[in-house]
Amino acid sequence: MEEKVLLAVAVVVLLVVVSKLKSLLVTKPKLNLPPGPWTLPLIGSIHHLVTSPSIYRAMRDLAQKHGPLMMLRLGEVPTLVVSSPEAAQAITKTYDITFADRHLNATIGVLTFNGTDLVFGTYGERWRQLRKITVLELLSVARVQSFQRIREEEVARFMQSLAASAGAGATVNLSKMISRFINDTFVRESIGSRCKYQDDYLDAFDTAVRQTSVLTVADLFPSSRLMQILGTAPRNALKCRNRITRILEQIIHEQVEAMDRGEKTAHEGLIGVLLRLQKEASLPVELTNDTIVALMFDLFGAGSDTSSTTLNWCMTELMRYPATMAKAQAEVREAFKGKTRITEDDLAGAELIYLKLVIKEALRMHCPLPLLLPRQCRETCQVMGYDIP
Ligand code: HEM
């Protein structure tokens, strides 16, 4: 009996040694990885990022040293930082399909219905169909133009409210006003009217986004069960997502009722369009209520915070540089010659070169959401002479 056990142990040891030897002998071709800063065991490159007041600026400083394609390791996650126009073009145009997936960490996974949504979905037939719906139905030129009146009314309301406060010499919280104005516009474009659940939705949404804005242990060490237990961000995100789902389901339910009553504005909003496509059932993917919830969650996330963050930074930078503000104001006044209400047609007819430069500069300095939408490489490829695994 003892001999049998010894024999079994010897066989196992032999198998382990053979497999180790095999892996040593069969050497994989060495990859020419992009350069990057020195790493520490376990945390990788994180110490280079957290010692700076801003993670984005830390990445910029490192990229200036290591080049436009730079390899970092965020905990367990190998991360390629792409920071020149040529490198960005290579990833998002030349190798667009190779990099079509997005990195789904634990928190984002929870928020995006395990990557079954539009933005974080895996490349494939569903990925293609959801983009087709978005491009041809939801964000087509005709659809965007059809919301022109809503945008003009909301801008006018926003400006009137600002003017009234200025007239009364009152202090305003411009960030809050901008956020409200952008959200009101999106909600009206989605359901055709204002929404009684808006504050609740925004609260849940803001809390959800906050869970994704920091480097959390569950996301940095995806293979560690302990870190998954210790990480609170995915659990908090799940609570927010459930709240958001309940609100969107209720909104969809009310939209169906409004459409049944024949309300024209309900039919014309983004949710109305999706419900029509659901009824027609002519798409290769089934447009369930869950898919509509995921699409609306994505569009709101993609379109609202980005726009209000950009506007906020434009105004902040203009206030910090009064000479730039004066130049931008002079250009706007010259272009519209005292008009008090400006339409999108007026905008299309004006050049506003300086104002456009101001917006581009604000986007360059304070790009909204850059770390939230990373792409993921689907197969090893070569970019600018480096191997990207
Ligand atoms: C200042 C405003 C905005 C900025 C800075 C911005 C920025 C971005 C960035 C950087 C991406 C990732 C692109 C990529 O990986 O190739 C993206 C994706 C996306 N954006 Fe925007 N965006 C803005 C406004 C909007 C608006 C208003 C909408 C629509 C309501 C929108 C809808 C989307 C969608 C659907 C995607 C995902 C596309 C895909 O995965 O194929 N964005 N945006």
Side-chain angles (χ1 to χ4, degrees):
M1 182 68 182
E2 218 169 85
E3 264 174 27
K4 272 189 185 166
V5 173
L6 274 175
L7 191 67
V9 172
V11 170
V12 171
V13 171
L14 197 67
L15 281 177
V16 172
V17 171
V18 168
S19 83
K20 278 267 176 223
L21 268 177
K22 235 171 121 186
S23 69
L24 282 175
L25 290 174
V26 185
T27 43
K28 287 186 194 150
K30 213 170 175 317
L31 294 178
N32 177 28
L33 296 175
W38 61 279
T39 53
L40 281 172
L42 220 68
I43 62 167
S45 327
I46 293 175
H47 56 295
H48 295 289
L49 304 179
V50 292
T51 42
S52 164
S54 147
I55 196 168
Y56 308 119
R57 285 172 192 218
M59 283 188 179
R60 178 206 53 194
D61 293 344
L62 289 170
Q64 276 170 356
K65 221 188 274 171
H66 298 283
L69 281 186
M70 171 179 71
M71 205 66 168
L72 300 181
R73 196 159 53 75
L74 305 183
E76 289 176 349
V77 186
T79 306
L80 181 72
V81 179
V82 178
S83 57
S84 74
E86 296 74 28
Q89 184 161 14
I91 303 289
T92 58
K93 283 202 164 161
T94 318
Y95 297 103
D96 188 30
I97 296 301
T98 309
F99 289 92
D101 283 352
R102 295 192 190 275
H103 175 60
L104 207 62
N105 63 31
T107 313
I108 298 280
V110 164
L111 281 178
T112 59
F113 310 85
N114 291 327
T116 55
D117 65 329
L118 166 78
V119 179
F120 282 86
T122 317
Y123 180 72
E125 187 53 20
R126 184 180 163 85
W127 182 97
R128 247 189 306 273
Q129 290 301 329
L130 292 185
R131 272 161 186 74
K132 204 167 155 191
I133 297 171
T134 311
V135 171
L136 297 182
E137 295 283 352
L138 303 177
L139 302 178
S140 66
V141 175
R143 183 84 55 214
V144 172
Q145 275 173 356
S146 75
F147 297 138
Q148 179 170 342
R149 188 182 50 81
I150 294 179
R151 284 190 298 273
E152 286 172 359
E153 281 173 12
E154 291 301 325
V155 170
R157 227 165 70 102
F158 171 60
M159 293 311 294
Q160 273 159 15
S161 163
L162 262 185
S165 300
T171 311
V172 294
N173 182 335
L174 194 58
S175 307
K176 261 197 179 157
M177 287 179 76
I178 287 175
S179 176
R180 165 76 40 193
F181 142 62
I182 297 285
N183 292 328
D184 284 348
T185 309
F186 184 83
V187 167
R188 283 188 63 194
E189 290 177 350
S190 301
I191 61 173
S193 58
R194 298 210 184 284
C195 173
K196 54 181 181 264
Y197 311 110
Q198 193 169 344
D199 288 339
D200 199 14
Y201 187 93
L202 286 180
D203 182 57
F205 185 82
D206 286 345
T207 318
V209 170
R210 266 203 303 282
Q211 307 307 314
T212 64
S213 320
V214 282
L215 297 173
T216 63
V217 288
D219 299 338
L220 295 172
F221 301 97
S223 73
S224 161
R225 291 199 45 188
L226 177 68
M227 295 304 179
Q228 301 310 304
I229 294 167
L230 291 179
T232 53
R235 282 198 295 279
N236 294 338
L238 183 61
K239 277 188 215 148
C240 297
R241 199 209 68 191
N242 288 342
R243 259 174 84 192
I244 287 170
T245 306
R246 273 196 300 275
I247 297 171
L248 281 172
E249 279 169 350
Q250 181 60 27
I251 291 174
I252 291 172
H253 176 71
E254 289 174 16
Q255 279 300 102
V256 173
E257 288 181 344
M259 287 167 77
D260 287 346
R261 287 195 301 271
E263 286 176 23
K264 192 165 167 273
T265 50
H267 282 273
E268 288 166 352
L270 296 176
I271 294 186
V273 172
L274 289 169
L275 288 169
R276 172 177 56 77
L277 291 172
Q278 182 185 59
K279 217 171 184 177
E280 287 169 4
S282 57
L283 298 164
V285 291
E286 200 191 347
L287 205 50
T288 60
N289 277 8
D290 287 349
T291 309
I292 297 182
V293 165
L295 273 172
M296 291 313 296
F297 175 72
D298 275 9
L299 282 184
F300 181 78
S304 61
D305 240 27
T306 43
S307 308
S308 48
T309 305
T310 306
L311 257 179
N312 263 319
W313 278 116
C314 282
M315 292 311 297
T316 307
E317 292 295 349
L318 284 172
M319 284 185 231
R320 288 171 68 185
Y321 295 97
T324 310
M325 171 77 98
K327 209 166 160 183
Q329 282 173 332
E331 185 188 59
V332 171
R333 286 183 181 131
E334 173 59 29
F336 299 114
K337 306 232 177 331
K339 270 189 100 167
T340 50
R341 190 163 178 154
I342 297 158
T343 64
E344 290 191 3
D345 294 335
D346 296 330
L347 273 183
E351 272 209 283
L352 300 174
I353 295 168
Y354 193 71
L355 187 67
K356 284 179 189 161
L357 289 175
V358 168
I359 297 170
K360 283 186 183 165
E361 184 64 352
L363 277 169
R364 188 188 68 81
M365 292 171 76
H366 310 282
C367 177
L369 302 179
L371 283 188
L372 205 63
L373 290 179
R375 301 246 189 148
Q376 182 163 289
C377 189
R378 299 168 53 237
E379 58 197 11
T380 302
C381 66
Q382 272 223 332
V383 181
M384 296 169 82
Y386 293 111
D387 295 315
I388 313 297

